[in-house]
Amino acid sequence: MEHSRAKYHLGQIVRHRKHPFRGVVFDVDPEFSNTEDWYDSIPEDNRPKKEQPFYHLLAENDQSYYVAYVSEQNLEPDNSGEPVDHPDLPELFGDLEDGIYPLHFQLN
């Protein structure tokens, strides 16, 4: 099976195309890797293709902070320059630099 190359990278701020939230990418799956129950909970006419990158985000909206799992087709870059205030950010990333959060640790 051919995998797509991820469009977004770790530490990048992105926003959802349809829903009012944004977040910082902290992990990427080359294709769907969540549960079938999660996938089936999405209305059929809104389900994204499984054969694309899916992103784990430290997400925020006006009411809360959470972890989101979002298909690449439903994301776009957030170029606002505004920081994300998710309370778990300092565990993984340094301070915002030029619109990107640098990783605190070296990846293997």
Side-chain angles (χ1 to χ4, degrees):
M1 183 179 296
E2 187 175 320
H3 294 290
S4 300
R5 186 174 196 102
K7 186 175 181 179
Y8 305 109
H9 53 83
L10 301 183
Q12 185 172 0
I13 302 171
V14 293
R15 70 175 50 255
H16 199 283
R17 291 181 184 274
K18 299 176 184 176
H19 302 291
F21 72 87
R22 57 199 290 267
V24 177
V25 176
F26 73 89
D27 196 10
V28 182
D29 294 334
E31 62 181 27
F32 179 79
S33 186
N34 206 332
T35 66
E36 288 303 313
D37 285 342
W38 183 92
Y39 189 76
D40 292 342
S41 73
I42 301 169
E44 192 170 349
D45 57 337
N46 288 329
R47 283 185 198 148
K49 298 180 310 180
K50 290 182 176 181
E51 298 80 17
Q52 64 178 313
F54 275 74
Y55 297 83
H56 300 260
L57 308 177
L58 294 176
E60 67 179 12
N61 61 28
D62 290 341
Q63 292 85 35
S64 65
Y65 303 105
Y66 51 96
V67 172
Y69 191 64
V70 185
S71 65
E72 187 169 274
Q73 75 186 56
N74 285 320
L75 292 174
E76 60 189 13
D78 180 307
N79 298 318
S80 69
E82 295 294 317
V84 173
D85 295 323
H86 195 288
D88 294 338
L89 269 171
E91 293 179 32
L92 299 174
F93 298 100
D95 293 334
L96 185 64
E97 296 176 11
D98 298 322
I100 304 290
Y101 285 94
L103 284 170
H104 263 321
F105 54 89
Q106 190 70 19
L107 296 173
N108 290 336

